[in-house]
């Protein structure tokens, strides 16, 4: 899932294994293989969504890209700069290019800081602005995210959930990042405000050319905001292509299951839901061969022994479509 042209973000063979140094009840514990060698690109001004059920590794992948979690191995290059070799001090300088919006806007905002100070914090950390310039920039950011500039003196508890997420977006936007990691940014919000926040993110992308690495499980939101989608299962990317191809011509059996579980907006169309047997396997003891074989309705003998590589499928319109399955 990488292109020859240099993308803004290039992630290659990224792995995150959680190791346990001590024995547990006399037994050594196997490492948790949260992310198992994922590769993808994100271009400037593009939204790539990572989707999959809880525990598939999508949030860990996003946090590894930001080095909020240290990857076990792999490569993360932002505008050609390898991030994983940087010291903490060197990494700090690059953090202005890559910002994050968290799932829970309340937990991610300091309750002791006023809204204006929250948004000004990155400007103080990275910028060389005078106080009046900072104030002017903060008020401008407030207006950009749909908050009244007078609200700079309020505290997080005085805002609604949607307003708090707008505050989080303003903070992420403050230092003109090239890429924003959006970790389930609307899943904690009321349905009525989710669309407003998603549309705000899209408007800001159109205006400033920001790229988003968008982590989500709500396929309706993903369909609305994404240019491309990568489907993850048990730490692996099992299918990736552009948004329209994924929603109209998905190939991987797991993607079909995910899509079948999404609500159908037209009540005249009957929902045909594909049900899976069993729970996802433990990432501490992943299956051999295809990681999906223990639940896949199409599994055959080869699936138990041979890992299907993520490979290109023929496409009539030139869109890249990669799938990890022996039979699709
Ligand atoms: Fe299913 Fe086999 Fe394809 Fe894996 S490789 S998705 S088990 S058919």
């Amino acid at each position: 899932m990488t292109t020859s042209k240099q993308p803004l973000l290039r992630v290659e063979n990224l792995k995150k294994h959680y190791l346990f140094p001590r024995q547990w009840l006399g037994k050594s514990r196997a490492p948790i293989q949260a992310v198992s060698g994922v590769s993808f690109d994100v271009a400037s001004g593009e939204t790539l969504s990572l989707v999959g059920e809880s525990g598939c590794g999508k949030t860990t992948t996003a946090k590894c890209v930001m080095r909020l979690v240290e990857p076990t191995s792999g490569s993360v290059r932002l505008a050609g700069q390898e991030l994983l070799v940087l010291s903490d001090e060197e990494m700090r300088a690059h953090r202005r290019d890559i910002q994050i919006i968290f799932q829970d806007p309340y937990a991610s905002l300091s309750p002791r800081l006023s809204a204006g100070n929250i948004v000004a914090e990155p400007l103080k950390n990275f910028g060389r602005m005078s106080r009046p310039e900072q104030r002017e920039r903060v008020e401008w950011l407030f207006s950009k995210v749909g908050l009244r500039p007078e609200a700079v003196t309020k505290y997080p508890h005085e805002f609604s959930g949607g307003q708090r997420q707008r505050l989080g977006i303003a903070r992420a936007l403050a230092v003109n990042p090239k890429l924003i990691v959006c970790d389930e940014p609307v899943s904690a919000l009321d349905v009525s405000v989710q669309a407003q926040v998603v549309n705000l993110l899209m408007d800001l992308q159109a205006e400033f050319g920001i790229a988003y690495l968008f982590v989500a499980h709500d396929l309706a939101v993903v369909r609305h905001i994404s240019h491309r989608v990568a489907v993850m299962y048990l730490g692996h990317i099992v299918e990736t292509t552009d948004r329209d191809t994924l929603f109209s011509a998905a190939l991987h059996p797991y993607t079909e299951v995910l899509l079948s579980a999404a609500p159908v907006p037209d009540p005249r169309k009957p929902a045909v839901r594909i049900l899976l047997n069993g729970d996802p396997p433990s990432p501490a003891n992943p299956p051999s061969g295809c990681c999906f074989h223990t639940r896949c309705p199409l599994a055959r003998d080869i699936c138990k022994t041979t890992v299907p590589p993520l490979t290109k499928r023929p496409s009539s319109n030139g869109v890249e479509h990669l799938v990890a399955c022996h039979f699709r």
Side-chain angles (χ1 to χ4, degrees):
M1 193 190 165
T2 55
T3 56
S4 51
K5 199 175 134 214
Q6 184 180 305
L8 174 65
L9 176 71
R10 171 158 285 174
V11 174
E12 289 180 296
N13 202 18
L14 186 75
K15 293 183 184 170
K16 177 61 191 176
H17 297 174
Y18 290 96
L19 305 170
F20 298 99
R22 290 202 201 103
Q23 292 200 329
W24 176 251
L25 298 178
K27 291 182 187 166
S28 56
R29 290 195 289 174
I32 303 279
Q33 299 177 32
V35 180
S36 299
V38 303
S39 301
F40 57 85
D41 287 348
V42 186
S44 294
E46 181 186 46
T47 300
L48 172 73
S49 291
L50 299 178
V51 302
E53 63 199 324
S54 290
C56 71
K58 55 190 189 300
T59 292
T60 306
T61 299
K63 288 185 174 169
C64 284
V65 165
M66 290 213 64
R67 289 188 61 190
L68 296 178
V69 165
E70 279 301 325
T72 305
S73 62
S75 167
V76 176
R77 269 174 284 160
L78 185 71
Q81 169 65 56
E82 175 61 61
L83 299 184
L84 302 192
V85 298
L86 299 178
S87 66
D88 290 350
E89 190 55 35
E90 289 166 334
M91 185 63 208
R92 213 182 143 266
H94 287 274
R95 288 206 186 278
R96 66 176 305 156
D97 290 332
I98 177 167
Q99 293 284 306
I100 186 165
I101 302 167
F102 293 98
Q103 177 179 9
D104 182 347
Y106 197 52
S108 68
L109 303 173
S110 170
R112 286 191 291 272
L113 289 180
S114 69
N117 278 325
I118 286 170
V119 175
E121 236 184 348
L123 298 174
K124 291 174 192 160
N125 289 341
F126 295 110
R128 293 185 183 83
M129 288 182 175
S130 64
R131 283 279 176 101
E133 284 170 336
Q134 278 179 21
R135 207 171 306 128
E136 198 179 317
R137 171 93 177 152
V138 167
E139 289 183 0
W140 178 81
L141 286 161
F142 268 52
S143 66
K144 277 289 156 200
V145 300
L147 292 172
R148 291 202 328 276
E150 309 86 81
V152 291
T153 55
K154 287 186 172 181
Y155 285 80
H157 71 271
E158 297 177 84
F159 291 92
S160 67
Q163 287 171 328
R164 282 197 286 264
Q165 197 53 295
R166 286 172 191 270
L167 208 51
I169 294 169
R171 179 178 58 181
L173 205 61
V175 284
N176 291 325
K178 296 185 174 102
L179 173 79
I180 297 182
V181 172
C182 305
D183 182 14
E184 303 260 14
V186 296
S187 55
L189 304 179
D190 289 344
V191 174
S192 56
V193 294
Q194 284 186 357
Q196 295 169 16
V197 172
V198 169
N199 288 336
L200 170 64
L201 287 170
M202 292 172 76
D203 290 346
L204 294 171
Q205 182 176 61
E207 186 169 355
F208 301 112
I210 312 159
Y212 295 134
L213 179 60
F214 195 89
V215 176
H217 65 269
D218 183 333
L219 291 179
V221 171
V222 167
R223 190 172 195 165
H224 191 60
I225 197 169
S226 310
H227 296 103
R228 289 186 301 122
V229 183
V231 179
M232 290 189 70
Y233 182 80
L234 211 63
H236 300 263
I237 291 178
V238 296
E239 180 162 13
T240 179
T241 186
D242 78 322
R243 182 246 338 247
D244 294 341
T245 306
L246 191 97
F247 282 91
S248 63
L251 290 175
H252 196 279
Y254 177 63
T255 312
E256 290 177 341
V257 172
L258 274 189
L259 295 178
S260 80
V264 180
D266 184 347
R268 290 164 300 181
K269 284 191 186 165
V272 183
R273 182 149 191 198
I274 306 168
L275 294 175
L276 283 179
N277 291 326
D279 295 324
S282 164
N285 186 22
S288 58
C290 173
C291 60
F292 190 49
H293 87 254
T294 54
R295 302 169 83 198
C296 179
L298 306 182
R300 296 186 219 167
D301 284 349
I302 187 179
C303 307
K304 296 179 189 165
T305 56
T306 310
V307 177
L310 190 64
T311 45
K312 264 188 195 171
R313 296 298 184 264
S315 131
S316 55
N317 53 6
V319 165
E320 188 179 68
H321 192 170
L322 306 181
V323 183
C325 175
H326 294 304
F327 302 108
R328 290 289 180 84

